[in-house]
Amino acid sequence: MNTPWHDVFVSEGTFGLLDNGDIPIHSADWSNGLIAPMLQGGALVRTGIQTGYVRVCARTEREPTEDIDESRPWEEIVEETVTAPHSNP
């Protein structure tokens, strides 16, 4: 599968992932430090910059992925389950 990459604007060091509606920020759980899944769906992602653009790709999966591209120079990797009630993988 060839997942497209996109430039995403970062504000206040974070950007949001959601599949419909507003980001329910009041339910964010920052317990793993880099990504905060939210109870109503979606997530907030912390970045290494305060403001600007980051290059992002995302894909939906029915099960946790087994393959992480280790050939890339990742600084940090985190895996998290994010509810996406309006998404159809």
Side-chain angles (χ1 to χ4, degrees), residues 9-26:
F9 186 72
V10 172
S11 178
E12 302 294 325
T14 62
F15 67 89
L17 298 172
L18 65 154
D19 65 337
N20 190 37
D22 296 325
I23 298 174
I25 196 165
H26 61 279

Side-chain angles (χ1 to χ4, degrees), residues 32-76:
N32 77 15
L34 292 178
I35 187 168
M38 294 173 276
L39 296 175
Q40 291 86 4
L44 291 175
V45 180
R46 281 200 178 132
T47 68
I49 64 170
Q50 181 66 17
T51 303
Y53 286 89
V54 293
R55 196 100 172 115
V56 175
C57 78
R59 66 181 187 213
T60 58
E61 300 284 342
R62 292 189 187 276
E63 300 293 326
T65 186
E66 296 293 326
D67 62 331
I68 294 176
D69 183 359
E70 295 183 23
S71 68
R72 306 275 309 207
W74 306 115
E75 289 182 24
E76 296 185 57

